[in-house]
Amino acid sequence: MLQINPKLLEQIYAECKRAYPEEACGIVVGQIVSHLVATQVIPCKNLQNELHQSDPKRYPRDAKTAYVIDPKEIERIAREARDTGEAIVSMFHSHPEHDVYFSQEDQDMAAPWGEPLFPHMSYLVVSVVAGEIKGTSEFYWDLESKKYVERKIL
């Protein structure tokens, strides 16, 4: 589970409000000890509108209901984190005008073959309704149940 201080959580909330009514997205860098400890929040550009505009058949949803982070940006952030002895410990995104939940699409992206690509990493989902933060949960992989489990933060 992720340990994140209120200041970093406020940075995530500010990005979610800034991106509203579209989905915000970003990466949380930190340390992996007996648990995950967040040290930095890095907002990322949501490429979904560009993808949707260039190929609406392949990307039928726009940034109001989906997000994509450039894999090159993720790779750069991961490399910079490794250089300082840290790692990507979480990714976040918002759900404009929807509750907090880890959608089937979210789960499929995190665990495409039924097992997570990054089992140590958690996912933060933030509900934003009418431009205000309404809820936040962390979803982390439970080794025993072999599924993502929700931990409410707000």
Side-chain angles (χ1 to χ4, degrees), residues 104-132:
Q104 188 61 53
E105 184 170 340
D106 293 335
Q107 293 177 55
D108 291 346
M109 294 295 288
W113 299 282
E115 292 283 332
L117 293 172
F118 306 100
H120 71 277
M121 200 167 80
S122 72
Y123 296 84
L124 295 171
V125 180
V126 180
S127 169
V128 186
V129 176
E132 297 299 321

Side-chain angles (χ1 to χ4, degrees), residues 137-152:
S137 287
E138 173 192 21
F139 295 87
Y140 64 92
W141 184 254
D142 181 71
L143 291 171
E144 289 184 24
S145 66
K146 300 274 190 203
K147 65 180 184 177
Y148 282 94
V149 176
E150 179 176 10
R151 178 177 72 97
K152 291 198 179 297

Side-chain angles (χ1 to χ4, degrees), residues 10-141:
E10 283 303 320
Q11 289 177 21
I12 291 172
Y13 294 161
E15 178 63 12
C16 292
K17 288 179 179 181
R18 185 204 62 75
Y20 181 85
E22 296 178 344
E23 288 197 12
C25 54
I27 293 175
V28 180
V29 170
Q31 301 168 347
I32 303 171
V33 287
S34 62
H35 57 285
L36 305 174
V37 180
T39 59
Q40 183 181 8
V41 169
I42 303 168
C44 296
K45 181 178 180 182
N46 183 351
L47 298 177
Q48 189 66 34
N49 279 339
E50 293 171 30
L51 296 170
H52 173 70
Q53 194 170 34
S54 68
D55 190 351
K57 276 192 168 182
R58 184 170 179 199
Y59 300 97
R61 300 184 327 172
D62 65 15
K64 289 183 180 181
T65 59
Y67 77 97
V68 172
I69 300 173
D70 186 338
K72 291 177 184 172
E73 186 173 13
I74 296 170
E75 180 183 15
R76 178 189 56 77
I77 292 167
R79 187 176 51 254
E80 290 173 1
R82 271 193 311 271
D83 290 347
T84 62
E86 294 189 316
I88 293 175
V89 294
S90 188
M91 295 181 96
F92 72 88
H93 73 279
S94 61
H95 282 178
E97 302 305 323
H98 290 281
D99 291 331
V100 170
Y101 61 96
F102 203 50
S103 70
Q104 188 61 53
E105 184 170 340
D106 293 335
Q107 293 177 55
D108 291 346
M109 294 295 288
W113 299 282
E115 292 283 332
L117 293 172
F118 306 100
H120 71 277
M121 200 167 80
S122 72
Y123 296 84
L124 295 171
V125 180
V126 180
S127 169
V128 186
V129 176
E132 297 299 321
I133 306 302
K134 294 298 177 190
T136 307
S137 287
E138 173 192 21
F139 295 87
Y140 64 92
W141 184 254

